[in-house]
């Protein structure tokens, strides 16, 4: 083989290797871009479902002020059932329903919080100068094994301090069910905590709203077979279906074989409406303050 032929073959091989190298680089670049997009999408999904602050948080309300048209400010104080990034937004329902009539709503719910967390956050509620406060907590106390006596002490302290530091009308809401099997261990334990909620309301002279009872009466006949099975994986799948595929919370609930709870813990739209109706009826009994 002459020198020219060898040279041509060498150039051809170099060219082919260059094209292969460039294609590999392009494939790696595309894969990295896709991974970054996926990571960004998952990160945004995690933010929407678990990290973002509720609409109308105490901080935002204090920055904006109550406004001249609001005759009644209600603070909803609680955990993820109130926060509503993974649960029906019953506070938002009230805002849409009663906002035009002079009611302002502050959502002071945060995912994962217990009665101890609410006690630590009490100042942010007081700073809103509320005319009405609802308190719904207890499911995470049960899940985290907070002793019943400690839960009682925390709830009584929260209620007593709000009575002492505000002029607000207060309602304690029974904690929502832990799964739809009312005879299961989770709900049997929760019953003791809800008894404390009702006793605390009676002892401190505030109102009691039967949220647990109102939701439980809508459970389907087959719900007793469903054991409490909440976990991060199930909650994440709910988030994917709701935020990514735009499925309604009621559809997700039915798809999981449940009636009122999307993931054995958080509220479907139907269950959220039960809470909204109870609180709206209570608010209508709260006289508007004179200002």
């Amino acid at each position: 083989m002459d020198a020219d032929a060898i040279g041509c073959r060498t150039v051809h091989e170099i060219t082919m290797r260059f094209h292969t190298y460039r294609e590999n680089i392009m494939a790696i670049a595309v894969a990295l871009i896709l991974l970054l997009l996926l990571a960004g999408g998952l990160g945004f999904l995690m933010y929407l479902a678990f990290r973002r602050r509720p609409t109308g948080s105490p901080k935002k309300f204090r920055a904006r002020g109550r406004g001249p048209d609001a005759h009644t400010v209600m603070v909803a104080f609680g955990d993820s059932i109130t926060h509503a990034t993974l649960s029906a937004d019953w506070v938002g329902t009230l805002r849409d329903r009663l906002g035009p009539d002079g009611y302002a709503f502050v959502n002071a719910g945060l995912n994962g919080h217990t009665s101890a967390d609410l006690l630590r956050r009490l100042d942010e509620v007081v700073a809103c100068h509320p005319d009405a406060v609802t308190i719904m907590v207890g499911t995470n106390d049960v899940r985290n094994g907070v002793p019943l006596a400690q839960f009682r002490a925390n709830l009584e302290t929260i209620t007593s301090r709000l009575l002492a530091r505000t002029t607000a009308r207060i309602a304690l809401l029974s904690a929502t069910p832990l799964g739809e099997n009312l005879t299961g261990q989770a709900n049997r334990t929760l019953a003791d905590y809800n008894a404390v909620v009702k006793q605390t309301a009676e002892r401190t002279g505030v109102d009691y709203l039967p949220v647990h009872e109102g939701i439980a009466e809508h459970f389907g006949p087959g719900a007793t077979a469903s054991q409490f099975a909440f976990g991060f994986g199930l909650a994440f799948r709910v988030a994917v279906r709701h935020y990514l595929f735009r499925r309604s919370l009621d559809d997700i609930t039915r798809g999981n074989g449940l009636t009122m709870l999307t993931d054995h813990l958080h509220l479907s739209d139907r269950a959220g409406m039960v809470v909204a109706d109870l609180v709206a009826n209570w608010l209508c009994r709260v006289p508007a303050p004179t200002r």
Side-chain angles (χ1 to χ4, degrees), residues 33 39 48 67 89 110 113 129 134 138 141 156 159 164 175-176 191-192 212 223 230 250 270:
I33 291 171
L48 287 175
D89 187 7
L110 282 179
H113 274 205
H129 304 290
T134 60
D141 291 79
E156 288 189 354
T159 307
T176 53
D192 294 333
H212 182 283
F230 175 78
D250 283 347
R270 282 184 64 202

Side-chain angles (χ1 to χ4, degrees), residues 1 3-19:
M1 186 177 295
D4 289 340
I6 294 173
C8 288
R9 191 175 71 176
T10 302
V11 170
H12 178 72
E13 289 175 351
I14 292 173
T15 302
M16 291 299 295
R17 288 176 182 176
F18 174 76
H19 283 306

